[in-house]
Amino acid sequence: MTQQDTTTRAPGGTTGAADQVFQVETHGIDPIPDEERHGSAKDLFWLWFGSNLTFTYVINGALAVAFGLSFWQATGVVVLGGLSFFAISAAGLSGVRTGTATLVISRAPFGVRGNWPAGMLNWVVSIGYTILNTVVGTLALEAFFADTGVGSGRTGRALALLITLALTFAVALWGHATVQFAERWIAYVLAVGFAALLVFLLPGADTAGAAVSPGASGWSLAFVVMLAGPFSYVPMPADYTRYLPRATSLRSLTWYGALGGFVSSVALGIAGVAAATQTDMTDAVAGTERLLPGWFQTLFLALVLGGSVTNSIVTLYSSSLNLQVLGVPWSRSKAIVISAGVTAAGALCALFLTDITSSLLSFLSLLIIVFAPWGGVFLTDMLMRRCHCDGPALHAGPDGAYWYRSGFHPAGAAALLAGMVFAALTCDSELWTGPLVAPLGGADLTLLGSLVSGLVYWVLARRTVAPHADPS
């Protein structure tokens, strides 16, 4: 694995020479040399703003109302969920200081081998959500074709799938610089369209309606839905900060990235809340369409497609780095072919053979039992180290400081297990209901598994984990 971490390094020299728009990025999880660092924290605003201009947040806002919350209650939950992007964005500082990907940095709290299971599950989650986004984008584009008379039936669906996959794969294949470029320019267009959507939906919202008390179950489920999206990014922030100059400040990095994710997720979440107070949102796309003027409905489908693509680009790109962490002996640009192939196969199955989307979504949602505690350990470790890790040791395997005991960090493993047990006991999902849900009045406290794991990790590791002293 240590050889893989260095095989994709590009020759140094020109600033950002290995990271050019519309050129295949030559770096993977290997540390980015200082002479190739470039960009500024402002770039993160557009990355997180564009990647979160996705219809998923409209659905999440509608679900909060379905759980029994009023307009203002649901809006409050949406805003609080958006604030979590401050933690996600701040975690990107680890990428600035190490020059490598998040799932390499997580070797510090878990050990090189202890990091592998979560890395494998994260790849599954990334590909699962990329498949779901691809299916949603394809169906939207298929409907767009039908509205404009371009094509219909299986031929129209096949063409829509091909276009959706091509848009996603091409950008992710080119790599980091092209991802940032595409997210910015697509965001310009999507922002105008979704702003118009908000203008159409907000005036008719029932802001005075009194909701039936949602109880512990309604409140907790609403928070789980709102926080699950930001939490899914915990294994990714350093992937998009590793090229930034070492002098990039924590304050600027945190604010620009957090504001990007906050603005888009909150705006679309409120749009979903507003729509749900006016119509049945069981089918969120169809429900939203009913509230729009006829001339805007076709453009709305284009927005759904665009949002699906911007989100898929980010997850597909990170999945290629993920595969290198798992030991796939290929460059990032070759490894992404595996992710793209699995995505295409999954989308083909869902669109033409059997509808697996509901089952896949239920399975992916259940994995929060693992990723909430994982995020708690990772973020706690980064706080304890102040994002200062021994960069070379992260890639050194058995010879490095993060090998611990046979490749496992006992404190990280114990904390993760404790958080997972708590999350499993308090999880309320379609596939699993924990034994403590009923005694808690139906409350789903899965996300608190992150606090449990973080606290346990701090107790176990507080005497041994400290910021790495940079010899320079």
Side-chain angles (χ1 to χ4, degrees):
M1 187 175 293
T2 57
Q3 182 180 358
Q4 171 59 31
D5 290 0
T6 58
T7 52
T8 58
R9 175 170 295 183
T14 306
T15 301
D19 189 38
Q20 298 289 331
V21 176
F22 301 132
Q23 294 183 19
V24 176
E25 177 190 5
T26 56
H27 281 296
I29 61 173
D30 53 302
I32 308 301
D34 286 347
E35 63 270 18
E36 295 186 23
R37 302 287 191 96
H38 63 96
S40 70
K42 294 179 181 178
D43 299 329
L44 297 175
F45 174 86
W46 293 108
L47 175 82
W48 292 112
F49 180 73
S51 62
N52 286 286
L53 283 172
T54 171
F55 193 72
T56 300
Y57 288 105
V58 176
I59 298 173
N60 291 348
L63 284 174
V65 175
F67 294 144
L69 276 66
S70 68
F71 176 88
W72 292 112
Q73 289 171 333
T75 297
V77 173
V78 168
V79 171
L80 290 174
L83 290 174
S84 62
F85 276 103
F86 279 87
I88 304 302
S89 187
L93 184 63
S94 58
V96 174
R97 290 181 170 167
T98 63
T100 192
T102 304
L103 283 169
V104 175
I105 299 166
S106 60
R107 291 169 177 171
F110 296 104
V112 176
R113 287 177 172 168
N115 189 53
W116 198 92
M120 186 65 216
L121 282 177
N122 183 69
W123 182 79
V124 171
V125 170
S126 295
I127 296 304
Y129 280 115
T130 305
I131 290 172
L132 291 174
N133 275 325
T134 300
V135 169
V136 171
T138 298
L139 294 175
L141 186 55
E142 179 189 13
F144 179 87
F145 286 162
D147 287 350
T148 56
V150 173
S152 60
R154 295 176 70 88
T155 301
R157 177 171 292 191
L159 178 61
L161 175 60
L162 181 62
I163 293 174
T164 304
L165 287 171
L167 289 172
T168 305
F169 176 68
V171 175
L173 174 66
W174 272 316
H176 176 267
T178 310
V179 168
Q180 289 196 317
F181 176 85
E183 293 290 344
R184 175 191 290 263
W185 286 97
I186 296 175
Y188 291 158
V189 178
L190 292 181
V192 174
F194 278 119
L197 178 70
L198 200 58
V199 169
F200 291 133
L201 296 179
L202 271 181
D206 181 8
T207 59
V212 177
S213 176
S217 176
W219 281 109
S220 64
L221 287 173
F223 274 108
V224 167
V225 166
M226 295 304 168
L227 291 170
F231 249 88
S232 69
Y233 291 119
V234 173
M236 298 183 192
D239 301 1
Y240 304 100
T241 60
R242 70 195 204 281
Y243 278 95
L244 292 177
R246 290 184 188 273
T248 304
S249 71
L250 172 62
R251 176 177 295 180
S252 63
L253 179 148
T254 300
W255 274 96
Y256 279 113
L259 285 176
F262 177 85
V263 170
S264 52
S265 65
V266 169
L268 296 186
I270 292 174
V273 172
T277 64
Q278 303 172 64
T279 188
D280 179 15
M281 290 286 283
T282 304
D283 182 336
V285 173
T288 304
E289 275 192 291
R290 286 193 293 269
L291 301 175
L292 301 175
W295 64 267
F296 190 77
Q297 291 179 2
T298 300
L299 294 177
F300 166 68
L301 295 173
L303 291 177
V304 175
L305 168 65
S308 298
V309 169
T310 58
N311 194 261
S312 291
I313 287 170
V314 171
T315 55
L316 189 61
Y317 174 78
S318 286
S319 75
S320 64
L321 298 175
N322 198 156
L323 286 173
Q324 287 193 311
V325 173
L326 294 174
V328 173
W330 291 354
S331 67
R332 183 207 61 82
S333 57
K334 291 181 179 178
I336 203 171
V337 175
I338 297 176
S339 295
V342 176
T343 298
L348 279 168
C349 178
L351 291 165
F352 292 97
L353 298 179
T354 180
D355 187 1
I356 61 170
T357 51
S358 296
S359 298
L360 181 58
L361 185 58
S362 298
F363 170 69
L364 294 173
S365 299
L366 185 62
L367 289 182
I368 197 171
I369 291 175
V370 176
F371 283 105
W374 185 94
V377 174
F378 176 77
L379 293 174
T380 301
D381 184 78
M382 289 299 100
L383 282 173
M384 295 170 71
R385 299 181 194 274
R386 299 176 187 173
C387 292
H388 281 290
C389 297
D390 183 347
L394 290 170
H395 302 268
D399 299 323
Y402 304 120
W403 189 251
Y404 300 112
R405 296 182 184 176
S406 301
F408 295 86
H409 188 197
L416 177 62
L417 181 61
M420 287 175 59
V421 169
F422 178 89
L425 291 174
T426 59
C427 176
D428 184 14
S429 70
E430 291 186 17
L431 299 180
W432 167 259
T433 299
L436 295 184
V437 171
L440 290 170
D444 184 336
L445 304 182
T446 313
L447 288 173
L448 292 183
S450 60
L451 297 180
V452 172
S453 63
L455 179 60
V456 172
Y457 184 75
W458 178 80
V459 169
L460 297 177
R462 68 186 187 282
R463 296 180 180 176
T464 56
V465 170
H468 174 70
D470 191 341
S472 62

